[in-house]
């Protein structure tokens, strides 16, 4: 077990954590994690493949879905090496610069996914509340611009946040609570003043995921108002059915993210196992569940996937 110097210095390495209390079973625990990663990577890869190869899916709704799959893939690949390295080789060490880099991708893809979910909510709002102008509002050129805006928005604010982190000194144990680098987790190990870091980090979260969630909620308030004005119950059911997949994706993204944030801010006395489990749910469940939800609930995606599998079998 490494010994940790308690003096103030800029760390060369941090030490990641697997599943606390189950270190001897890491090899066995790697099996379900490998399955989750395989499902996430293959599922999102399949969604991307069918959308770009099937001309019938070249519509705004599916372009936004491809963006969601891309961000989910990014989240998976950002933690794949460190997590499986811990389970298979007990490779817990990560350099400070590598930790900064991993945080950039994890938080960047998280903020991008929040923006994509907002864009998908706007897509559903336009399709339901203003169907006659849908094709003229969401043109291919505008969707491309939205995609670039999502990337820029998700990454720009992270640069100063991570630069602020590099100015901190660390004098506590350099053992992180997770199997990957997470900004609040790293920040709590500092023995210098982190008020600026905390305030700036909170401002970024509020201006991205917080603002996105408010606009998503507003979109569905307007959608529900529009749907309730429809005369036919069958038409209402059909319209609501087109929103089920997106509502599910929003829930499985925001609930784990809010839970992890609350644990870091108010659950400092919680057992390490709680931190680890919530952190793994936060990063793995959305990429695993989104392709399953959209494949099951979206008829066009399901037909395209089945078409590819049947053609391979034949």
């Amino acid at each position: 077990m490494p010994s940790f110097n308690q003096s103030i210095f800029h760390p060369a390495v941090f030490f990641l954590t697997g599943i606390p209390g189950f270190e001897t079973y890491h090899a066995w625990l790697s099996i379900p994690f490998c399955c989750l990663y395989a499902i996430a990577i293959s599922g999102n890869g399949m969604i991307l493949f069918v959308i770009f190869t099937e001309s019938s899916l070249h519509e705004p709704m599916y372009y936004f879905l491809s963006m969601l799959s891309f961000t989910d893939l990014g989240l998976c690949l950002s933690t794949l090496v460190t997590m499986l390295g811990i389970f298979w080789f007990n490779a817990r060490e990560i350099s400070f610069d590598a930790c900064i880099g991993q945080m950039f991708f994890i938080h960047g893809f998280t903020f991008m996914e929040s923006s994509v979910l907002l864009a998908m909510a706007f897509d559903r709002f336009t399709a339901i509340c203003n169907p006659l102008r849908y094709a003229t509002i969401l043109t291919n050129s505008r969707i491309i611009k939205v995609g670039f805006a999502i990337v820029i928005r998700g990454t720009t604010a992270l640069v100063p946040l991570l630069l602020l982190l590099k100015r901190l000194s660390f004098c506590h144990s350099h053992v992180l609570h997770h199997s990957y680098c997470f900004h609040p987790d790293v920040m709590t190990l500092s023995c210098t003043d982190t008020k600026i870091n905390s305030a700036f980090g909170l401002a970024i979260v509020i201006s991205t995921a917080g603002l996105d969630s408010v606009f998503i909620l507003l979109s569905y308030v307007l959608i529900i108002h529009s749907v309730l004005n429809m005369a036919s119950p069958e038409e209402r059911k059909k319209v609501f059915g087109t929103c089920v997949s997106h509502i599910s994706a929003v829930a499985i993204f925001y609930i784990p993210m809010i839970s992890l944030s609350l644990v870091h801010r108010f659950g400092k006395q919680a057992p390490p196992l709680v931190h680890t489990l919530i952190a793994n749910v936060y990063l793995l469940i959305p990429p695993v569940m989104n392709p399953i939800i959209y494949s099951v609930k979206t008829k066009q995606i399901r037909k395209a996937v089945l078409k590819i599998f049947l053609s391979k079998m034949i």
Side-chain angles (χ1 to χ4, degrees):
M1 182 73 181
S3 60
F4 302 105
N5 192 337
Q6 297 296 314
S7 59
I8 299 176
F9 68 103
H10 204 277
V13 295
F14 285 114
F15 294 87
L16 302 171
T17 300
I19 308 295
F22 296 88
E23 288 81 3
T24 56
Y25 303 103
H26 273 178
W28 291 104
L29 289 172
S30 69
I31 296 174
F33 278 95
C34 284
C35 292
L36 290 174
Y37 274 112
I39 293 170
I41 293 171
S42 60
N44 287 290
M46 178 62 72
I47 294 290
L48 286 170
F49 180 77
V50 298
I51 289 174
F52 284 105
T53 56
E54 290 291 325
S55 57
S56 61
L57 300 180
H58 292 175
E59 298 177 7
M61 173 183 173
Y62 303 110
Y63 286 141
F64 289 129
L65 177 56
S66 69
M67 295 180 194
L68 182 67
S69 293
F70 174 77
T71 57
D72 281 337
L73 273 176
L75 275 175
C76 280
L77 297 177
S78 298
T79 60
L80 176 65
V81 174
T82 54
M83 189 172 288
L84 295 186
I86 292 169
F87 286 137
W88 289 346
F89 310 110
N90 196 32
R92 298 177 55 212
E93 292 187 12
I94 183 170
S95 70
F96 185 74
D97 288 334
C99 193
I100 293 288
Q102 188 178 49
M103 279 188 284
F104 176 81
F105 286 107
I106 289 173
H107 293 292
F109 281 117
T110 298
F111 295 146
M112 280 190 270
E113 181 152 348
S114 177
S115 300
V116 171
L117 290 171
L118 174 59
M120 296 174 81
F122 179 74
D123 170 80
R124 291 298 83 208
F125 165 76
T126 307
I128 294 169
C129 300
N130 203 352
L132 297 179
R133 295 188 60 201
Y134 180 75
T136 57
I137 293 174
L138 290 174
T139 61
N140 288 343
S141 61
R142 284 178 179 167
I143 292 172
I144 292 171
K145 291 176 182 177
V146 168
F148 278 115
I150 287 171
V151 173
I152 293 170
R153 182 186 186 228
T155 56
T156 303
L158 285 175
V159 175
L161 181 69
L162 299 179
L163 289 177
L164 283 172
L165 193 64
K166 289 179 73 71
R167 73 179 179 86
L168 298 180
S169 297
F170 298 83
C171 60
H172 302 300
S173 170
H174 298 149
V175 179
L176 299 172
H177 288 102
H178 312 315
S179 52
Y180 55 86
C181 292
F182 188 64
H183 180 263
D185 195 18
V186 174
M187 195 170 57
T188 55
L189 300 182
S190 174
C191 55
T192 49
D193 186 15
T194 60
K195 290 180 181 177
I196 296 176
N197 299 69
S198 298
F200 193 70
L202 183 61
I204 291 175
V205 172
I206 291 173
S207 62
T208 53
L211 201 60
D212 293 345
S213 62
V214 171
F215 281 119
I216 290 171
L217 180 61
L218 177 62
S219 297
Y220 275 101
V221 169
L222 296 174
I223 287 171
I224 291 170
H225 179 266
S226 177
V227 171
L228 292 179
N229 289 330
M230 295 178 180
S232 170
E234 291 79 12
E235 191 176 358
R236 292 179 191 173
K237 184 178 178 180
K238 182 180 178 181
V239 172
F240 273 129
T242 65
C243 299
V244 170
S245 299
H246 181 252
I247 293 172
S248 302
V250 169
I252 63 174
F253 174 76
Y254 280 104
I255 292 174
M257 184 178 70
I258 293 170
S259 301
L260 183 60
S261 299
L262 291 175
V263 165
H264 272 286
R265 290 196 174 273
F266 306 110
K268 292 181 173 61
Q269 304 304 319
L273 184 61
V274 173
H275 286 264
T276 303
L277 290 178
I278 293 178
N280 289 332
V281 167
Y282 158 69
L283 272 192
L284 283 176
I285 295 304
V288 169
M289 293 303 300
N290 282 337
I292 296 174
I293 290 170
Y294 276 94
S295 296
V296 172
K297 293 293 184 179
T298 308
K299 182 180 178 181
Q300 292 85 344
I301 295 289
R302 184 170 66 250
K303 287 174 64 177
V305 171
L306 290 174
K307 178 182 176 181
I308 290 174
F309 275 114
L310 290 174
S311 64
K312 294 293 183 183
M313 291 174 63
I314 293 173

